[in-house]
């Protein structure tokens, strides 16, 4: 690692210098490296002339890509935030690394103008990532996709807002966040989130997703759901119709841990083929290749849910003229 940048209380050491003014960034450890690498490889294959870096960021434990993926030219970055996140609540078994995405704009303020943060549990199917990173969404610091809890009922008040006594506002999923680095830092979003989280540590329900939403309270730009299609059994068929660019496996069920076939088997097949080629030491996924039977209770329940919510989903998608349309 070569030390490349130091900002107030944040130090970054990178494997190589930045080669662009924009970046797609994953924050992961070695346990999730396979899945982040799979998504990075999908983005690389989709983008002929990328004008962005792909970065893997970590805190304590370094992530090491196999030599077979050297062609991705991933920039590996160790970020040291010191005690910046001390006092924030943690789920059992988690470390403060879960808050790392909060610090990305401060960490890379001297190198990147735009950052697209992505969770590792995603599957890339399409989309122009150059164009996405070029979207304008002033005056807001971030653009994101509404959380699926508000897809059918956009006026639903999030549970965290009730706990904190906040009014109803649109609420986004933090698995995909497009960040304007300058505006993010000018609006002091990192420190505002940390302050709220430490002051209300005993009342916070999740990690940084609720911090972001509680601080911004709707002051963010809304992206088309195709950029963060949050996969659930109740929107499984709509995903086939919408053909989203990015599928996000929210919840505990993942393509590599899906013994009840809640997801389409094709996701696990693609990831497992990638694992066998580049991560041969990976253990077999806990999945089944048998899809739901057409007459199963799951199929009937899913069809009924789709039938009842079809109109609401259509209204959600009609709010956008095209997939690069931003609602301010």
């Amino acid at each position: 690692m070569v030390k490349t940048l130091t900002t107030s209380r944040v130090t970054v050491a990178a494997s190589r210098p930045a080669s662009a003014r924009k970046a797609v960034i994953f924050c992961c450890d070695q346990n999730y490296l396979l899945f982040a690498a799979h998504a990075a490889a999908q983005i690389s294959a989709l983008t002929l002339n990328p004008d962005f870096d792909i970065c893997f960021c970590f805190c304590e434990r370094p992530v090491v890509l196999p030599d077979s993926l050297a062609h991705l030219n991933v920039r590996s970055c160790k970020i040291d935030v010191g005690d910046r996140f001390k006092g924030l609540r943690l789920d059992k078994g988690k470390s403060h690394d879960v808050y790392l995405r909060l610090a990305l704009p401060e960490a890379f303020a001297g190198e990147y103008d735009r950052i697209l943060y992505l969770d590792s549990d995603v599957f890339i199917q399409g989309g122009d990532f150059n164009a996405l990173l070029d979207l304008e969404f002033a005056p807001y610091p971030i653009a994101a996709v509404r959380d699926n809890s508000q897809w059918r009922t956009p006026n639903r008040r999030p549970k965290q807002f009730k706990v904190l006594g906040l009014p109803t506002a649109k609420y986004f999923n933090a698995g995909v966040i497009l960040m304007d680095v300058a505006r993010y830092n000018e609006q002091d979003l990192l420190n505002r989130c940390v302050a709220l989280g430490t002051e209300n540590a005993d009342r916070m329900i999740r990690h940084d997703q609720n911090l972001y939403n509680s601080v911004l309270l709707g002051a963010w730009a809304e992206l088309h759901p195709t950029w963060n299609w949050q996969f659930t059994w109740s929107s499984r068929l709509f995903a086939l119709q919408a053909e989203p660019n990015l599928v996000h496996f929210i919840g505990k069920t993942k393509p590599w841990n899906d013994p009840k076939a809640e997801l389409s088997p094709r996701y696990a097949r693609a990831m497992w083929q990638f694992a066998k080629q580049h991560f041969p030491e990976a253990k077999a996924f806990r999945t089944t290749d048998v899809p739901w039977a057409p007459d199963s209770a799951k199929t009937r329940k899913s069809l009924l849910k789709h039938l009842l919510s079809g109109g609401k989903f259509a209204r959600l998608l009609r709010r956008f003229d095209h997939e690069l349309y931003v609602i301010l």
Side-chain angles (χ1 to χ4, degrees):
M1 287 289 187
V2 178
K3 185 176 179 181
T4 60
L5 182 68
T6 300
T7 61
S8 175
R9 300 170 64 191
V10 177
T11 301
V12 181
S15 58
R16 64 168 177 82
S19 59
R21 295 298 301 179
K22 292 169 280 188
V24 174
I25 296 182
F26 298 86
C27 295
C28 65
D29 59 16
Q30 200 70 24
N31 292 329
Y32 265 70
L33 177 61
L34 188 166
F35 314 115
H38 179 254
Q42 290 178 313
I43 293 172
S44 179
L46 275 170
T47 313
L48 274 179
N49 298 299
D51 59 358
F52 55 84
D53 287 334
I54 296 179
C55 303
F56 287 0
C57 295
F58 59 91
C59 282
E60 294 295 326
R61 292 169 289 183
V63 294
V64 181
L65 275 173
D67 291 341
S68 59
L69 293 174
H71 64 282
L72 296 180
N73 197 26
V74 166
R75 189 178 187 222
S76 181
C77 302
K78 180 179 181 180
I79 301 179
D80 184 356
V81 298
D83 62 354
R84 201 67 167 271
F85 300 145
K86 185 178 180 180
L88 297 176
R89 74 165 296 277
L90 288 174
D91 288 336
K92 185 178 180 180
K94 299 291 184 180
S95 74
H96 283 104
D97 289 3
V98 297
Y99 291 103
L100 186 57
R101 79 192 98 178
L102 286 172
L104 295 178
E106 182 172 320
F108 294 108
E111 297 182 309
Y112 297 130
D113 301 316
R114 287 291 181 87
I115 290 172
L116 176 64
Y117 166 81
L118 299 180
D119 273 355
S120 301
D121 55 347
V122 298
F123 191 96
I124 312 299
Q125 302 186 145
D128 186 339
F129 282 80
N130 282 332
L132 177 63
L133 277 156
D134 281 339
L135 286 179
E136 183 50 65
F137 47 92
Y140 300 120
I142 65 173
V145 175
R146 193 181 286 256
D147 190 76
N148 77 321
S149 63
Q150 289 188 340
W151 281 10
R152 297 178 183 85
T153 53
N155 294 320
R156 176 180 290 175
R157 189 183 182 197
K159 183 178 180 181
Q160 182 69 80
F161 288 8
K162 296 177 183 178
V163 171
L164 295 177
L166 300 174
T168 299
K170 61 180 183 178
Y171 180 92
F172 67 87
N173 180 278
V176 178
I177 307 176
L178 181 59
M179 304 171 174
D180 183 286
V181 171
R183 287 198 292 266
Y184 190 109
N185 290 329
E186 286 167 3
Q187 296 183 29
D188 200 24
L189 197 50
L190 169 59
N191 288 326
R192 291 163 63 197
C193 286
V194 170
L196 183 141
T198 53
E199 291 168 8
N200 298 277
D202 59 337
R203 298 199 293 167
M204 299 307 296
I205 300 170
R206 296 179 185 172
H207 297 119
D208 54 350
Q209 178 166 302
N210 272 330
L211 292 180
Y212 272 131
N213 278 284
S214 299
V215 166
L216 291 170
L217 206 59
W220 52 274
E222 189 172 351
L223 298 175
H224 193 290
T226 194
W227 295 108
N228 185 358
W229 190 275
Q230 297 144 57
F231 197 103
T232 67
W233 65 270
S234 60
S235 63
R236 181 174 177 142
L237 299 181
F238 295 141
L240 296 175
Q241 294 172 302
E243 297 184 343
N245 292 331
L246 185 153
V247 179
H248 182 194
F249 305 106
I250 58 174
K252 295 181 179 180
T253 301
K254 311 291 184 185
W256 56 90
N257 184 25
D258 183 24
K260 296 182 180 179
E262 298 293 328
L263 309 174
S264 170
R266 70 184 181 90
Y267 300 119
R269 289 191 206 114
M271 289 186 177
W272 182 236
Q273 287 300 318
F274 180 84
K276 287 192 291 184
Q277 181 178 359
H278 300 290
F279 294 84
E281 74 285 357
K283 297 179 181 178
F285 295 176
R286 292 184 65 249
T287 62
T288 175
D289 217 21
V290 180
W292 293 351
D295 59 348
S296 68
K298 288 182 179 179
T299 299
R300 290 194 293 268
K301 182 180 178 182
S302 178
L303 289 173
L304 178 60
K305 187 71 171 182
H306 283 74
L307 178 64
L308 295 175
S309 61
K312 294 177 180 179
F313 257 92
R315 285 194 291 274
L316 168 74
L317 298 177
R318 279 198 294 263
R319 296 172 63 235
F320 300 86
D321 291 344
H322 50 79
E323 66 180 32
L324 291 171
Y325 186 83
V326 180
I327 297 176
L328 300 175

